[in-house]
Amino acid sequence: MTKSSCSSICEKALWLFQRFGLRAVTMDDVSKEMSISKKTLYTFFQNKSDLVDQAIRKKMQANENELKSIKKVSKNAIEEIIAMHSNLVEISEQFSKNFFALKKYYPDTFKWVLEQAKIITLRVFKENIERGVSEGIYKRKLDVEKLSLLRHFTITGIIEDESLTEDIIPRNALLNNSLIMHLQFISTSKGVMRLKDSLMLNQNFAKSFFE
């Protein structure tokens, strides 16, 4: 089997984790789903912890690549950050089912995820603010470092709140609200117009804010 086969196993494992839960899925389940022997599976992964770790690392890399793609096609900083935010919400929905199981049973991988997420999000927020300032849609003389940290900890605080894991609808509404209030604070009058235009094109996003 090749490196691409390893990636295929990781993708299938993630699908199983999301469908049945991280704790419920065994190495037997993965090998049966892939139609391979356990012996073959263990040539790629030392154990389930190794499989979980590699699968999540590949997923994180894929998520980062998606953010880079969004940045390339976005017309302005506000369009960019809304698209990236929607991507983040989608990822958090996929991840939420296994968030606390990962934290409890795979603490090393969980710690790595948090560290990587912080590095990626801080860079994304910093670059977005700098882009918005250069486009004249964000205010000048913003404290980019502090605003990026505030945005990061606002998102992680909402996502990691156990009281919000049972029903993702109010959690997603809070996430959306936090982004819009962030944009309202940092935007110029020109930026506010861009924000209104973006909300008109994204009715589901706007609806969660006004409810």
Side-chain angles (χ1 to χ4, degrees), residues 96-185:
S96 61
K97 183 176 182 179
N98 293 304
F99 184 86
F100 295 103
L102 185 68
K103 181 179 182 179
K104 183 175 182 179
Y105 300 107
Y106 305 94
D108 290 341
T109 300
F110 181 80
K111 181 181 178 182
W112 179 86
V113 168
L114 293 187
E115 290 172 349
Q116 286 300 115
K118 184 176 181 180
I119 290 170
I120 294 168
T121 55
L122 287 179
R123 186 183 69 243
V124 163
F125 299 144
K126 180 176 181 292
E127 291 176 352
N128 178 263
I129 292 172
E130 291 172 344
R131 177 180 178 179
V133 171
S134 69
E135 293 173 343
I137 58 178
Y138 294 165
K139 299 169 186 174
R140 296 187 178 279
K141 298 182 179 180
L142 293 171
D143 191 326
V144 177
E145 298 296 334
K146 287 183 180 178
L147 282 169
S148 299
L149 277 170
L150 180 61
R151 187 79 197 114
H152 167 75
F153 285 117
T154 298
I155 291 172
T156 55
I158 294 171
I159 291 176
E160 293 178 24
D161 191 325
E162 292 189 50
S163 67
L164 297 173
T165 58
E166 294 299 321
D167 188 350
I168 63 172
I169 294 177
R171 186 198 64 181
N172 289 351
L174 277 175
L175 287 169
N176 292 348
N177 290 350
S178 73
L179 175 63
I180 295 177
M181 286 187 278
H182 165 75
L183 289 172
Q184 288 176 328
F185 175 74

Coordinates of all heavy atoms in Angstrom, one line a residue, residues 96-185:
S96 N -17.3 18.7 17.1 CA -17.9 18.9 18.4 C -18.2 17.6 19.0 O -18.1 17.4 20.3 CB -19.1 19.8 18.3 OG -20.1 19.2 17.4
K97 N -18.7 16.6 18.2 CA -19.1 15.3 18.8 C -17.9 14.6 19.5 O -18.2 13.9 20.5 CB -19.6 14.4 17.7 CG -20.1 13.0 18.1 CD -20.7 12.3 17.0 CE -21.3 10.9 17.5 NZ -21.9 10.2 16.4
N98 N -16.7 14.8 19.1 CA -15.6 14.1 19.6 C -14.6 15.0 20.4 O -13.6 14.6 20.8 CB -14.8 13.4 18.5 CG -15.6 12.3 17.9 OD1 -16.0 11.4 18.5 ND2 -15.7 12.4 16.5
F99 N -15.0 16.3 20.6 CA -14.1 17.2 21.2 C -13.7 16.8 22.6 O -12.5 16.7 22.9 CB -14.8 18.6 21.3 CG -13.9 19.7 21.9 CD1 -13.1 20.4 21.0 CD2 -14.0 20.0 23.2 CE1 -12.3 21.4 21.5 CE2 -13.2 21.0 23.7 CZ -12.3 21.7 22.9
F100 N -14.6 16.4 23.5 CA -14.3 16.1 24.8 C -13.7 14.7 25.0 O -12.9 14.4 25.9 CB -15.5 16.3 25.7 CG -15.9 17.7 25.8 CD1 -17.0 18.2 25.1 CD2 -15.2 18.6 26.6 CE1 -17.4 19.5 25.2 CE2 -15.6 20.0 26.6 CZ -16.7 20.4 25.9
A101 N -14.1 13.8 24.1 CA -13.5 12.4 24.0 C -12.0 12.6 23.7 O -11.1 11.9 24.3 CB -14.2 11.5 23.1
L102 N -11.7 13.4 22.7 CA -10.3 13.6 22.3 C -9.5 14.2 23.5 O -8.4 13.8 23.8 CB -10.2 14.6 21.1 CG -8.9 14.8 20.5 CD1 -8.3 13.6 19.8 CD2 -8.9 16.0 19.5
K103 N -10.1 15.2 24.2 CA -9.5 15.8 25.3 C -9.2 14.8 26.4 O -8.1 14.8 27.0 CB -10.4 16.9 25.8 CG -9.8 17.7 27.0 CD -10.7 18.8 27.4 CE -10.2 19.6 28.6 NZ -11.1 20.8 28.9
K104 N -10.1 13.9 26.7 CA -10.0 13.0 27.8 C -9.1 11.8 27.5 O -8.2 11.4 28.3 CB -11.4 12.4 28.2 CG -11.3 11.5 29.4 CD -12.7 11.1 29.8 CE -12.7 10.2 31.0 NZ -14.1 9.8 31.5
Y105 N -9.2 11.2 26.3 CA -8.5 9.9 26.0 C -7.3 10.1 25.1 O -6.5 9.2 25.1 CB -9.5 9.0 25.3 CG -10.7 8.6 26.2 CD1 -12.0 9.2 25.9 CD2 -10.6 7.8 27.3 CE1 -13.1 8.9 26.7 CE2 -11.7 7.6 28.1 CZ -12.9 8.1 27.8 OH -14.0 7.8 28.6
Y106 N -7.2 11.2 24.4 CA -6.0 11.5 23.6 C -5.4 12.8 23.8 O -5.4 13.7 23.0 CB -6.4 11.3 22.1 CG -7.0 9.9 21.8 CD1 -8.4 9.8 21.8 CD2 -6.2 8.8 21.6 CE1 -9.0 8.6 21.5 CE2 -6.8 7.6 21.3 CZ -8.2 7.5 21.3 OH -8.7 6.2 21.1
P107 N -5.0 13.1 25.1 CA -4.6 14.4 25.5 C -3.4 15.0 24.7 O -3.4 16.2 24.5 CB -4.2 14.2 27.0 CG -3.9 12.8 27.1 CD -4.8 12.1 26.2
D108 N -2.5 14.2 24.3 CA -1.4 14.7 23.5 C -1.8 15.3 22.2 O -1.4 16.4 21.8 CB -0.3 13.7 23.3 CG 0.4 13.3 24.6 OD1 0.4 14.1 25.5 OD2 1.0 12.2 24.7
T109 N -2.7 14.5 21.5 CA -3.2 15.0 20.2 C -4.1 16.2 20.4 O -4.0 17.2 19.7 CB -4.1 13.9 19.6 OG1 -3.2 12.8 19.3 CG2 -4.6 14.4 18.2
F110 N -4.9 16.2 21.5 CA -5.8 17.4 21.8 C -4.9 18.6 22.0 O -5.3 19.7 21.5 CB -6.6 17.1 23.1 CG -7.5 18.1 23.4 CD1 -8.7 18.3 22.8 CD2 -7.2 19.0 24.5 CE1 -9.6 19.3 23.2 CE2 -8.1 20.0 24.8 CZ -9.3 20.2 24.2
K111 N -3.8 18.5 22.8 CA -3.0 19.6 23.1 C -2.4 20.2 21.8 O -2.3 21.4 21.5 CB -1.8 19.2 24.0 CG -0.9 20.3 24.4 CD 0.2 19.8 25.3 CE 1.2 20.9 25.6 NZ 2.3 20.5 26.5
W112 N -2.0 19.3 20.9 CA -1.4 19.7 19.6 C -2.4 20.4 18.7 O -2.1 21.4 18.1 CB -0.9 18.4 18.8 CG -0.3 18.8 17.5 CD1 1.0 19.2 17.2 CD2 -1.0 18.8 16.2 NE1 1.1 19.4 15.9 CE2 -0.1 19.2 15.2 CE3 -2.3 18.5 15.8 CZ2 -0.4 19.3 13.9 CZ3 -2.7 18.6 14.5 CH2 -1.7 19.0 13.5
V113 N -3.7 19.9 18.7 CA -4.7 20.6 18.0 C -4.9 22.0 18.5 O -5.1 22.9 17.7 CB -6.1 19.8 18.1 CG1 -7.2 20.6 17.6 CG2 -6.0 18.5 17.4
L114 N -5.0 22.2 19.8 CA -5.2 23.5 20.3 C -4.1 24.4 20.0 O -4.3 25.6 19.6 CB -5.4 23.5 21.9 CG -6.6 22.8 22.4 CD1 -6.7 23.0 23.9 CD2 -7.9 23.3 21.8
E115 N -2.8 23.9 20.1 CA -1.7 24.7 19.7 C -1.7 25.2 18.3 O -1.4 26.3 17.9 CB -0.4 24.0 20.1 CG -0.1 23.8 21.6 CD 1.0 22.9 21.9 OE1 1.5 22.2 20.9 OE2 1.5 22.8 23.0
Q116 N -2.0 24.2 17.4 CA -2.0 24.5 15.9 C -3.1 25.4 15.6 O -3.0 26.3 14.8 CB -2.1 23.2 15.1 CG -0.9 22.3 15.1 CD 0.3 23.1 14.5 OE1 1.3 23.4 15.1 NE2 0.2 23.4 13.2
A117 N -4.3 25.2 16.2 CA -5.4 26.1 15.9 C -5.1 27.5 16.3 O -5.5 28.4 15.6 CB -6.7 25.5 16.7
K118 N -4.4 27.7 17.4 CA -4.1 29.0 17.9 C -3.1 29.7 16.9 O -3.3 30.8 16.5 CB -3.5 29.0 19.3 CG -3.2 30.4 19.8 CD -2.6 30.3 21.3 CE -2.4 31.7 21.8 NZ -1.9 31.6 23.2
I119 N -2.1 28.9 16.5 CA -1.1 29.5 15.5 C -1.8 29.9 14.2 O -1.6 31.0 13.7 CB 0.0 28.4 15.2 CG1 0.9 28.2 16.4 CG2 0.8 28.9 14.0 CD1 1.8 27.0 16.3
I120 N -2.7 29.0 13.7 CA -3.4 29.3 12.4 C -4.3 30.4 12.5 O -4.3 31.4 11.7 CB -4.1 28.0 11.9 CG1 -3.1 26.9 11.6 CG2 -5.0 28.3 10.7 CD1 -3.7 25.5 11.4
T121 N -5.2 30.4 13.6 CA -6.2 31.5 13.7 C -5.6 32.8 14.0 O -6.0 33.8 13.4 CB -7.2 31.1 14.8 OG1 -6.6 30.9 16.1 CG2 -8.0 29.9 14.4
L122 N -4.6 32.9 14.8 CA -3.9 34.2 15.0 C -3.3 34.7 13.8 O -3.4 36.0 13.5 CB -2.8 34.0 16.1 CG -3.3 33.9 17.6 CD1 -2.2 33.7 18.5 CD2 -4.2 35.0 18.0
R123 N -2.7 33.9 13.0 CA -2.1 34.4 11.7 C -3.2 34.8 10.8 O -3.1 35.9 10.1 CB -1.3 33.2 11.0 CG -0.6 33.7 9.8 CD 0.2 32.6 9.1 NE -0.7 31.6 8.5 CZ -0.8 30.4 8.8 NH1 0.0 29.9 9.8 NH2 -1.6 29.5 8.3
V124 N -4.3 34.1 10.7 CA -5.4 34.4 9.8 C -6.0 35.7 10.2 O -6.3 36.6 9.4 CB -6.5 33.3 9.8 CG1 -7.8 33.8 9.3 CG2 -6.0 32.1 9.0
F125 N -6.3 35.9 11.5 CA -6.9 37.2 11.9 C -6.0 38.4 11.7 O -6.4 39.4 11.3 CB -7.3 37.1 13.4 CG -8.3 36.0 13.7 CD1 -8.2 35.2 14.9 CD2 -9.3 35.7 12.8 CE1 -9.2 34.2 15.1 CE2 -10.2 34.7 13.0 CZ -10.2 34.0 14.2
K126 N -4.7 38.2 12.0 CA -3.7 39.2 11.9 C -3.6 39.7 10.4 O -3.7 40.9 10.1 CB -2.4 38.8 12.3 CG -1.2 39.8 12.2 CD 0.0 39.3 12.8 CE 1.2 40.3 12.8 NZ 1.6 40.6 11.4
E127 N -3.5 38.7 9.5 CA -3.4 39.0 8.1 C -4.7 39.6 7.5 O -4.7 40.5 6.7 CB -3.1 37.7 7.3 CG -1.7 37.2 7.6 CD -1.4 35.9 6.9 OE1 -2.3 35.3 6.3 OE2 -0.2 35.5 6.9
N128 N -5.8 39.2 8.1 CA -7.1 39.7 7.6 C -7.2 41.2 8.0 O -7.7 42.0 7.2 CB -8.3 38.9 8.2 CG -9.6 39.5 7.8 OD1 -10.3 40.2 8.6 ND2 -10.1 39.2 6.6
I129 N -6.9 41.5 9.3 CA -7.0 42.9 9.7 C -6.0 43.8 8.9 O -6.4 44.9 8.5 CB -6.6 43.0 11.2 CG1 -7.7 42.3 12.1 CG2 -6.5 44.5 11.6 CD1 -7.4 42.2 13.5
E130 N -4.8 43.3 8.7 CA -3.9 44.1 7.9 C -4.4 44.3 6.4 O -4.2 45.4 5.9 CB -2.5 43.3 7.8 CG -1.8 43.4 9.2 CD -0.6 42.5 9.2 OE1 -0.4 41.6 8.3 OE2 0.2 42.6 10.1
R131 N -5.0 43.3 5.9 CA -5.6 43.4 4.5 C -6.8 44.5 4.6 O -6.8 45.3 3.7 CB -6.2 42.1 4.0 CG -6.9 42.2 2.7 CD -7.4 40.9 2.2 NE -8.1 41.0 0.9 CZ -8.7 40.0 0.2 NH1 -8.6 38.8 0.7 NH2 -9.3 40.3 -0.9
G132 N -7.6 44.4 5.6 CA -8.7 45.3 5.7 C -8.3 46.7 5.8 O -8.9 47.7 5.2
V133 N -7.2 47.0 6.6 CA -6.7 48.3 6.7 C -6.2 48.8 5.4 O -6.4 50.0 5.0 CB -5.6 48.3 7.8 CG1 -4.9 49.7 7.8 CG2 -6.2 48.0 9.2
S134 N -5.5 48.0 4.7 CA -4.9 48.4 3.4 C -6.0 48.7 2.4 O -5.8 49.5 1.5 CB -3.9 47.3 2.9 OG -4.6 46.1 2.5
E135 N -7.1 48.0 2.5 CA -8.2 48.2 1.6 C -9.1 49.4 2.0 O -10.0 49.8 1.3 CB -9.1 47.0 1.5 CG -8.4 45.8 0.8 CD -9.2 44.5 0.9 OE1 -10.1 44.4 1.7 OE2 -8.8 43.6 0.1
G136 N -8.8 50.0 3.2 CA -9.6 51.1 3.6 C -11.0 50.7 4.2 O -11.8 51.6 4.4
I137 N -11.2 49.4 4.5 CA -12.5 49.0 5.1 C -12.4 48.7 6.6 O -13.4 48.5 7.2 CB -13.1 47.8 4.3 CG1 -12.1 46.6 4.3 CG2 -13.4 48.2 2.9 CD1 -12.7 45.4 3.6
Y138 N -11.1 48.7 7.1 CA -10.9 48.6 8.5 C -10.2 49.9 9.0 O -9.5 50.5 8.2 CB -10.1 47.4 8.9 CG -10.7 46.0 8.7 CD1 -9.8 44.9 8.7 CD2 -12.0 45.8 8.5 CE1 -10.3 43.6 8.5 CE2 -12.5 44.6 8.2 CZ -11.7 43.5 8.2 OH -12.2 42.2 8.0
K139 N -10.5 50.2 10.2 CA -9.9 51.5 10.8 C -8.3 51.3 10.9 O -7.8 50.2 11.1 CB -10.5 51.7 12.2 CG -12.0 52.0 12.2 CD -12.5 52.0 13.6 CE -14.0 52.1 13.6 NZ -14.6 51.9 15.0
R140 N -7.7 52.4 10.7 CA -6.2 52.5 11.0 C -5.9 52.5 12.5 O -6.8 52.8 13.3 CB -5.6 53.7 10.3 CG -5.8 53.6 8.7 CD -5.0 54.7 8.1 NE -5.1 54.7 6.6 CZ -4.4 53.9 5.8 NH1 -3.5 53.1 6.4 NH2 -4.6 53.8 4.5
K141 N -4.7 52.3 12.8 CA -4.2 52.3 14.2 C -4.9 51.4 15.1 O -5.1 51.6 16.3 CB -4.3 53.8 14.7 CG -3.5 54.8 14.0 CD -3.7 56.2 14.6 CE -2.8 57.2 13.8 NZ -2.9 58.6 14.4
L142 N -5.3 50.2 14.5 CA -5.9 49.1 15.4 C -4.7 48.4 16.0 O -3.7 48.2 15.4 CB -6.7 48.2 14.5 CG -8.0 48.7 13.9 CD1 -8.6 47.7 12.9 CD2 -9.0 49.0 15.0
D143 N -5.0 47.9 17.2 CA -4.0 47.0 17.9 C -4.2 45.6 17.3 O -5.0 44.8 17.9 CB -4.2 47.0 19.4 CG -3.0 46.4 20.1 OD1 -2.5 45.4 19.6 OD2 -2.7 46.8 21.2
V144 N -3.5 45.3 16.3 CA -3.7 44.0 15.6 C -3.5 42.8 16.4 O -4.2 41.8 16.4 CB -2.8 43.9 14.3 CG1 -2.9 42.6 13.6 CG2 -3.1 45.1 13.4
E145 N -2.4 42.8 17.2 CA -2.1 41.7 18.1 C -3.2 41.4 19.1 O -3.6 40.2 19.3 CB -0.7 41.9 18.8 CG 0.5 42.1 17.8 CD 0.8 40.8 17.0 OE1 0.4 39.7 17.5 OE2 1.3 40.9 15.9
K146 N -3.6 42.4 19.8 CA -4.6 42.3 20.8 C -6.0 41.9 20.2 O -6.7 41.0 20.8 CB -4.8 43.5 21.6 CG -3.6 43.8 22.6 CD -3.9 45.0 23.4 CE -2.7 45.3 24.3 NZ -2.8 46.5 25.1
L147 N -6.3 42.5 19.1 CA -7.6 42.1 18.4 C -7.6 40.7 18.0 O -8.6 40.0 18.1 CB -7.9 43.1 17.3 CG -8.4 44.5 17.6 CD1 -8.4 45.4 16.4 CD2 -9.8 44.4 18.2
S148 N -6.5 40.2 17.4 CA -6.4 38.8 17.0 C -6.5 37.9 18.1 O -7.2 36.8 18.0 CB -5.0 38.6 16.3 OG -4.9 39.5 15.1
L149 N -5.8 38.2 19.3 CA -5.9 37.3 20.5 C -7.4 37.3 21.0 O -7.9 36.3 21.4 CB -5.0 37.8 21.5 CG -3.5 37.4 21.5 CD1 -2.7 38.2 22.5 CD2 -3.4 35.9 21.7
L150 N -8.0 38.5 21.0 CA -9.4 38.6 21.5 C -10.3 37.7 20.6 O -11.2 37.0 21.2 CB -9.8 40.0 21.5 CG -11.3 40.3 22.0 CD1 -11.4 39.9 23.4 CD2 -11.6 41.8 21.9
R151 N -10.1 37.8 19.3 CA -11.0 37.1 18.4 C -10.8 35.6 18.6 O -11.7 34.8 18.7 CB -10.6 37.4 17.0 CG -11.5 36.8 15.9 CD -12.8 37.5 15.8 NE -13.8 36.7 15.1 CZ -14.9 36.2 15.7 NH1 -15.2 36.4 16.9 NH2 -15.7 35.5 15.0
H152 N -9.5 35.2 18.8 CA -9.2 33.7 19.0 C -9.8 33.2 20.3 O -10.5 32.2 20.2 CB -7.7 33.6 19.1 CG -7.2 32.2 19.6 ND1 -7.3 31.1 18.8 CD2 -6.8 31.8 20.8 CE1 -6.9 30.0 19.5 NE2 -6.6 30.4 20.7
F153 N -9.6 33.9 21.4 CA -10.1 33.4 22.6 C -11.7 33.5 22.7 O -12.3 32.7 23.4 CB -9.5 34.2 23.8 CG -8.1 33.7 24.0 CD1 -7.0 34.7 23.9 CD2 -7.8 32.4 24.4 CE1 -5.7 34.3 24.1 CE2 -6.5 32.0 24.6 CZ -5.4 32.9 24.4
T154 N -12.3 34.4 22.0 CA -13.7 34.5 21.9 C -14.3 33.2 21.3 O -15.2 32.6 21.8 CB -14.2 35.7 21.1 OG1 -13.8 36.9 21.8 CG2 -15.7 35.7 21.0
I155 N -13.7 32.8 20.1 CA -14.1 31.6 19.4 C -13.9 30.4 20.2 O -14.8 29.5 20.4 CB -13.4 31.6 18.1 CG1 -13.8 32.7 17.1 CG2 -13.6 30.2 17.4 CD1 -13.0 32.8 15.9
T156 N -12.7 30.2 20.8 CA -12.4 29.0 21.5 C -13.2 28.9 22.8 O -13.6 27.8 23.1 CB -10.9 28.9 21.9 OG1 -10.5 30.1 22.6 CG2 -10.0 28.8 20.7
G157 N -13.5 30.0 23.4 CA -14.3 30.0 24.6 C -15.7 29.5 24.3 O -16.3 28.7 25.1
I158 N -16.3 29.9 23.1 CA -17.6 29.5 22.7 C -17.6 28.0 22.4 O -18.5 27.2 22.8 CB -18.2 30.3 21.6 CG1 -18.4 31.8 22.1 CG2 -19.5 29.7 21.0 CD1 -18.7 32.7 20.9
I159 N -16.6 27.6 21.5 CA -16.6 26.2 21.1 C -16.3 25.2 22.2 O -16.9 24.1 22.2 CB -15.5 26.1 20.0 CG1 -15.9 26.8 18.7 CG2 -15.2 24.6 19.7 CD1 -14.8 26.8 17.6
E160 N -15.5 25.6 23.2 CA -15.1 24.7 24.3 C -16.1 24.7 25.4 O -15.9 23.9 26.4 CB -13.7 25.0 24.8 CG -12.6 24.8 23.8 CD -11.3 25.2 24.3 OE1 -11.1 25.3 25.5 OE2 -10.4 25.5 23.4
D161 N -17.1 25.5 25.4 CA -18.1 25.6 26.5 C -19.0 24.3 26.4 O -19.8 24.1 25.4 CB -19.0 26.8 26.3 CG -19.8 27.1 27.5 OD1 -20.3 26.1 28.1 OD2 -20.1 28.2 27.9
E162 N -18.9 23.5 27.4 CA -19.7 22.2 27.4 C -21.2 22.4 27.4 O -21.9 21.6 26.9 CB -19.3 21.4 28.6 CG -17.9 20.8 28.6 CD -17.6 19.8 29.7 OE1 -18.4 18.9 29.9 OE2 -16.6 20.0 30.4
S163 N -21.6 23.5 27.9 CA -23.1 23.8 28.0 C -23.7 24.1 26.6 O -24.9 24.1 26.4 CB -23.4 25.0 28.9 OG -22.9 26.2 28.4
L164 N -22.8 24.4 25.6 CA -23.2 24.7 24.3 C -23.1 23.5 23.3 O -23.3 23.7 22.1 CB -22.5 25.9 23.7 CG -22.7 27.2 24.5 CD1 -21.7 28.3 24.0 CD2 -24.1 27.7 24.4
T165 N -22.6 22.4 23.8 CA -22.4 21.2 22.8 C -23.6 20.4 22.5 O -23.6 19.7 21.5 CB -21.3 20.3 23.4 OG1 -21.8 19.8 24.7 CG2 -20.0 21.0 23.6
E166 N -24.6 20.5 23.3 CA -25.9 19.7 23.1 C -26.7 20.3 21.9 O -27.3 19.5 21.2 CB -26.7 19.7 24.4 CG -26.1 19.0 25.5 CD -25.8 17.5 25.2 OE1 -26.7 16.9 24.6 OE2 -24.8 17.0 25.7
D167 N -26.7 21.6 21.7 CA -27.4 22.2 20.7 C -26.5 23.2 19.9 O -26.2 24.2 20.5 CB -28.7 22.9 21.2 CG -29.6 23.4 20.2 OD1 -29.2 23.4 19.0 OD2 -30.7 23.8 20.5
I168 N -26.1 22.9 18.7 CA -25.2 23.7 18.0 C -25.8 25.0 17.4 O -25.1 25.9 17.1 CB -24.5 22.9 16.9 CG1 -25.5 22.5 15.8 CG2 -23.7 21.8 17.4 CD1 -24.8 21.9 14.6
I169 N -27.1 25.0 17.4 CA -27.8 26.2 16.8 C -27.5 27.5 17.6 O -27.0 28.5 17.0 CB -29.3 26.0 16.6 CG1 -29.6 24.9 15.6 CG2 -30.0 27.3 16.2 CD1 -31.0 24.5 15.4
P170 N -27.8 27.5 18.9 CA -27.4 28.7 19.7 C -25.9 29.0 19.7 O -25.5 30.1 19.8 CB -28.0 28.4 21.1 CG -28.2 26.9 21.1 CD -28.5 26.5 19.8
R171 N -25.1 27.9 19.7 CA -23.7 28.1 19.7 C -23.2 28.8 18.4 O -22.4 29.7 18.5 CB -22.9 26.7 19.9 CG -21.4 26.9 20.0 CD -20.7 25.6 19.7 NE -20.9 25.2 18.3 CZ -20.4 24.1 17.8 NH1 -19.7 23.3 18.5 NH2 -20.6 23.8 16.5
N172 N -23.7 28.3 17.3 CA -23.4 28.9 16.0 C -23.9 30.3 15.9 O -23.2 31.2 15.4 CB -23.9 28.1 14.9 CG -23.2 26.8 14.7 OD1 -22.2 26.5 15.3 ND2 -23.7 25.9 13.8
A173 N -25.0 30.6 16.5 CA -25.5 32.0 16.6 C -24.6 32.9 17.3 O -24.3 34.0 16.9 CB -26.9 32.0 17.2
L174 N -24.1 32.4 18.5 CA -23.1 33.2 19.2 C -21.8 33.4 18.5 O -21.3 34.5 18.5 CB -22.8 32.4 20.5 CG -23.7 32.6 21.7 CD1 -23.3 31.7 22.9 CD2 -23.8 34.0 22.2
L175 N -21.4 32.4 17.8 CA -20.2 32.5 16.9 C -20.4 33.6 15.9 O -19.5 34.5 15.6 CB -19.8 31.2 16.3 CG -19.2 30.1 17.2 CD1 -19.1 28.8 16.5 CD2 -17.8 30.5 17.7
N176 N -21.5 33.5 15.2 CA -21.8 34.5 14.2 C -22.0 35.9 14.7 O -21.5 36.9 14.1 CB -23.1 34.1 13.4 CG -23.0 32.9 12.6 OD1 -21.8 32.4 12.4 ND2 -24.1 32.3 12.1
N177 N -22.6 36.0 15.9 CA -22.8 37.3 16.5 C -21.4 37.9 16.9 O -21.2 39.1 16.7 CB -23.6 37.2 17.8 CG -25.1 36.9 17.5 OD1 -25.5 36.9 16.4 ND2 -25.8 36.5 18.6
S178 N -20.6 37.1 17.4 CA -19.2 37.6 17.8 C -18.5 38.1 16.6 O -17.7 39.1 16.7 CB -18.4 36.5 18.5 OG -18.0 35.5 17.6
L179 N -18.6 37.5 15.4 CA -17.9 38.0 14.3 C -18.4 39.3 13.8 O -17.7 40.2 13.5 CB -18.0 36.9 13.1 CG -17.3 37.4 11.8 CD1 -15.8 37.7 12.0 CD2 -17.6 36.5 10.7
I180 N -19.8 39.4 13.7 CA -20.4 40.6 13.3 C -20.0 41.8 14.2 O -19.7 42.9 13.7 CB -21.9 40.5 13.1 CG1 -22.2 39.5 12.0 CG2 -22.5 41.8 12.8 CD1 -23.7 39.2 11.8
M181 N -20.0 41.6 15.5 CA -19.7 42.6 16.4 C -18.2 43.0 16.3 O -17.9 44.2 16.4 CB -20.0 42.2 17.8 CG -21.5 42.3 18.1 SD -22.0 42.0 19.9 CE -21.9 40.2 19.9
H182 N -17.4 42.0 16.0 CA -16.0 42.3 15.8 C -15.8 43.2 14.6 O -15.1 44.2 14.6 CB -15.2 41.0 15.6 CG -13.9 41.1 15.0 ND1 -12.8 41.5 15.7 CD2 -13.4 40.8 13.7 CE1 -11.7 41.5 14.9 NE2 -12.1 41.1 13.7
L183 N -16.5 42.9 13.5 CA -16.4 43.6 12.3 C -17.0 45.0 12.4 O -16.5 46.0 11.9 CB -17.1 42.9 11.1 CG -16.4 41.6 10.6 CD1 -17.3 40.9 9.6 CD2 -15.0 42.0 10.0
Q184 N -18.1 45.1 13.1 CA -18.7 46.5 13.4 C -17.7 47.4 14.1 O -17.7 48.6 13.9 CB -20.0 46.3 14.2 CG -21.1 45.7 13.3 CD -22.4 45.5 14.2 OE1 -22.3 45.2 15.4 NE2 -23.5 45.6 13.5
F185 N -17.0 46.8 15.0 CA -16.0 47.6 15.8 C -14.8 48.0 15.0 O -14.4 49.2 15.2 CB -15.5 46.7 17.0 CG -14.5 47.4 17.8 CD1 -14.8 48.5 18.7 CD2 -13.1 47.0 17.8 CE1 -13.8 49.1 19.4 CE2 -12.1 47.7 18.5 CZ -12.5 48.7 19.3

